[in-house]
Amino acid sequence: MDLNGLLAPPAAIHTTPHHQDSSRTDLEDLTSSSSANEHSPLSLQVPGSPTSKSLGGDTLRSRADSFNSTAETSRSRADSFNSKAETARSRGNSDLTTTRSRFEGDDLTTEEALRPDKSTEKDFEVDNSPFAFSPGQLNKTLNPKSLAVFRALGGIYGLERGLQTDLLAGLSVDETAISEKINFDEATASARSKPIELRPILVPEHIVTGREVEGQFHDRKRIFKDNRLPAKKAVSIWRLFWNAYNDRVLIILTAAAVISLALGIYEALGQPKEPGQGQSLDWVEGLAIMVAIVIVVLVTGLNDYRREKQFSALNARKDDRQVKAIRSGKSVMISVFDVMVGDILHLESGDSIPADGILVSGHGVRCDESSATGESDAMKKVAGSDVWQRMVEGTATSKLDPFIISGSKVLEGVGTYLVTSVGVNSSFGKIMMGLQAETEETPLQAKLGKMANWIGYLGTSAAGLLFFILLFRFVAGLSSNTDTPAKRGSTFLDILIVAITIIVVAVPEGLPVAVTLALSFATKKMFKENNLVRHLRACETMGNATTICSDKTGTLTQNKMTVVAGLLGTHTNFARDIDMSDEDKTVLTFAAAFDRLSPEVRSLLLQSVAINSTAFEGEEDGKATYIGSKTETALLTMAKEFLGMGPVAEERAGVEVVQLFPFDSDRKCMGVVIRLANGSYRLVVKGAAEIMLDYATEELPDISAHSLEPVELSESARMRASANIDDFATQSLRTIAMLYKDFQQWPPVGAQTLEDDKTMASFENVCQDMIFLGIVGIQDPLRDGVAYAVKRCQDAGIVVRMVTGDNLTTASAIAKQCGIKTEKGLVMEGPKFRQLSDEEMDEILPNLQVLARSSPDDKRILVARLKHLGETVAVTGDGTNDGPALKLADVGFSMGIAGTEVAKEASAIILMDDNFSSIVKAVMWGRSVNDAVSKFLQFQITVNITAVILAFISAVSSPEMHSVLSAVQLLWVNLIMDTFAALALATDAPTEQILDRKPAPKSAPLITTNMWKMIIGQTIYQLLVTFVLYFAGYDILGYDTKCLPQTLMRECGSNLAPDLLQRCLDPGLCTDKMHLELNSMVFNTFVWMQIFNEFNNRRLDNKLNIFEGVLRNYFFIGINCIMVGGQIMIVFVGGKAFQIKRIDGTQWAVCILCALPCLLWAVVLRCIPDVYAKTVFDFVAKIWLAVARPVLKVLTAIFRPVAKGWRAVSRTVFAPTRRFSSRTASKFSRKKASEDEPPHGKGKAAAADVEVANGSEMDTWAASPKTPPGQQQHSAAGFPMQPPPITVTTAT
């Protein structure tokens, strides 16, 4: 059907083109051919776009004209499109004279419009393509938006033919390879013969599930790719190993180990041996250190690799979503990754556009393209057929915009569009290829990074102090030292290695790693429990949420709605399954009530339910159902059962929709204007009953009358309707009212119209003096277990508030059922709430439990004020307008089922089942993450303090200047502390008991009073036991008598060879052996204390059952088995490598019995009230601050020149090496990226450039990969003048 058939008789258009070219001839040929077409009579159907009725400008016209009216219309196209052309049009004259309107690029030829840029020439080169257009030619439409390119491609119909698709039926689900080929000329020529016709907005067929076909869309994928962005190239495991090793401390330790190995080999092979002297094994320690470093690097790298894999899988899941497409003439739900060029996709308000394209048909479509183009205004979209028609008529201007840009948002309207570019070829894809972000750092990781730096500073200071003390002792004893130079060099290296190893142990690189492990574990488990975490920070923040502002529908309720009661007119009540007994009114059954309706009223109700709706028929689980808003599907079900409604498609097929008013959460209603058979227009509206009643001034007095003659809505009738609304609301029913009004023309005379389309009326201006039709009450049962979930939140110290659009009575009734509303709780309506001052809001907020009749802006205001009061706020939302509140909240939950794409993108967590109980699961896992970090922090600080003090004091007190814990032993302790413990303690699943405590406030310190109590208490016990063993164990265990001559004679016997007997009887060798045995026991006891203390750290409160749930944590059991097995192997076969001696059963018993009381000592510590511990800690903290400040000032003055000298040496020695390795890695990355780069984009190269540009950051990381970039350790000169504040709180 030709558009001119609706607007006017055929007219001859005379144009004066500036250039004679093929594209211009095409337009002229199309003009003549379209004017010569014979037209069939006008049929009523859903229009394609508002511009289908009025192609531009201010219009005065009679819509009855297309029904043989002789009314005259004057029209100016130029005014509405700011064109310089002036057009006069008269329906009484078939001649039309016009000066062609101009748009940017209007004078370009086809070749000029489609000329490739130098950077995109590859996109225009396609081999063996069955399609008329290349990806590059399609991209030219949006680079920037170009009507000239649109014209050169033959408009919407040229694209349809060239992409081998169908604008109505979409792609065929059976398409694989395409045998028919079409060239450019054939595609663009099809626009000449294609009739320009109105097209329906929605394809009314059933939604079906797209079936899988082997090799489906093979050629489309080959030429245009699919809608996936290439995954950011994963960091190879070898690079992760290098990153783990690329630590200055480990590199220095490696250098020292190499030198020690070289000296040891020199001593063993290059020095003459004295008679009876055995082979020197000093080289073993250097080799053992190198092996230990390799193990640490391997474990750290593998741990990082596992973490990267988990987060890659998470990112893939969070980017996937379902979109609605038309394939084989049916609407299907497909993954956004499966969108193809040539697909026809549906557009609805709130959608995030997944691919570039051209609008096929639409009603009031406006898009927010600010994220894609920077244009802040809402962009009105015009159907491609309308734009083509304007080009034919010569009235096209640059303001016409049929282009749909990926990444933009649909603000309002509905429609369909043709996909022209996907994936790396789409405009959004090209941007994202260069902006693939690194994994975000969470606030907890940042806090722990700072704490790790401080602990590292203290450990480094202790290591530096130890090094200088031992160095001074070594230098002072050189004059009396008779050892060989190699031996003296080896002694110095031993001092350096011990100091460096203490730094390795002291720097708690496991702290940020523990957060990452806990988050990766939690997010994986949360996904299984219907929480898709989009931002990691939300996971840890949710654990400390203090208030949850929840929607009602679908979150607290089942979102399975059924009409159970209603009112027709103001006199006829009907109901089922609910108590509506009242002496003053008669309640009919559904069948009896609807049987009273006259055909006219029945038709009116059908229009209100079926036409004023965006829901349609579909299938779920193989059963026919309605797809769309649950409120609308409930009304459609009622209409089908009691109004005799047939298929929705048939009900809508014979109706011409003139204007749509999509549902708006601010005005709480939706409407549609339809054109009646008599040429008049009808506005039907439905929405929140209490609001709709205010719009009504008339009613139908008799629903059985055959004529629709309204009368004034009397005060008594209004009171009856209002009473019914209240009755429904008290029974937790959602109330929906239906109104209508007839108009002789549209827009009505004197009505305010939209600025950019004068054929569209403003809703607020026409929705007045409406006719009341009736009310329905819709029941939405509570979800199973929601009352229990609310109770658990309240027990956990979380205030649950309900924010809903329902009226006050309904909201209050449902809140009571859920347990949200208490006797002292306050219920308020949104309009009143938003009028309060900030002070008044702050006063009522502690008691506010229900906010009814609220708008998204009310929700945003509520969240803002709660945050202002220091609350940690979680909020749910599903609509486009909920975006600001979701962004503003500490944690935003969007609905995975009912939520719009805008809401999902604004949220931090997506509820896959829209269930409030899933929010409770998120709270539990959030607390579990925080607990896992606290457990690990408590464990690691205990090990840090104990190991550093033990190594320091034992080395200073030893005549040989050897620490009781050797370098290799300390590296094993470091592996236990940083990696194994992180894996074991970060994987405890939450229990119900985790909700029995109050949330931690935002100001809460990382280390609570209870944690300090356990850290200091365990440190005292471990140091006491190890010092007693080290200093007094020689006497306690009787080693002083084992090296007496008579004892040695008894032990050695007389059967040994003379040289062996001499060595056996040597008291010096015996003493060294006993000392090595004792040191082995100290080391073994120390490690076993850490293993037992790991069990203590499974609890953070003062309860005693540390084994609760341990059998459910297979990670914990497995990691502890590895640690126990590793320790046993080290003691039995470690030998010279670990500087250890195998111990017997009695000695093993001593070690275990000394370590096991850690568990009993923890019971004693837990019995000490936290209040007493806090008093002690406060006193100690004051003394610490008084002493530490001057000491730190002195240290700063001393170490500032040392730090300057170290930086100079570092720049001279390390910087060239780092630059060389960075350049080598960069060249390799660029080479690899160029080899792997896809033919249609520069994304990977751009990503590689970004990575190369971050070389300086990588250098910074290299300085200390134990902490994230930007948090690397500072030199001594960078010490702050004050130590970190020690804050203690009382654990509950």
Side-chain angles (χ1 to χ4, degrees), residues 931 934-936 938-940 942 985 1014 1018 1090 1092-1100 1106 1166:
D931 284 359
S934 296
K935 293 172 187 176
F936 179 74
Q938 181 175 300
F939 174 79
Q940 186 167 52
T942 303
L985 294 174
M1014 298 302 294
Q1018 287 292 338
Q1090 310 318 316
F1092 290 135
N1093 191 39
E1094 190 181 14
F1095 284 85
N1096 287 328
N1097 290 315
R1098 294 190 69 248
R1099 289 206 83 103
L1100 293 171
I1106 59 175
R1166 286 190 166 97

Side-chain angles (χ1 to χ4, degrees), residues 150-161:
F150 178 72
R151 180 186 64 193
L153 296 177
I156 190 72
Y157 299 114
L159 288 168
E160 177 188 31
R161 180 74 177 110

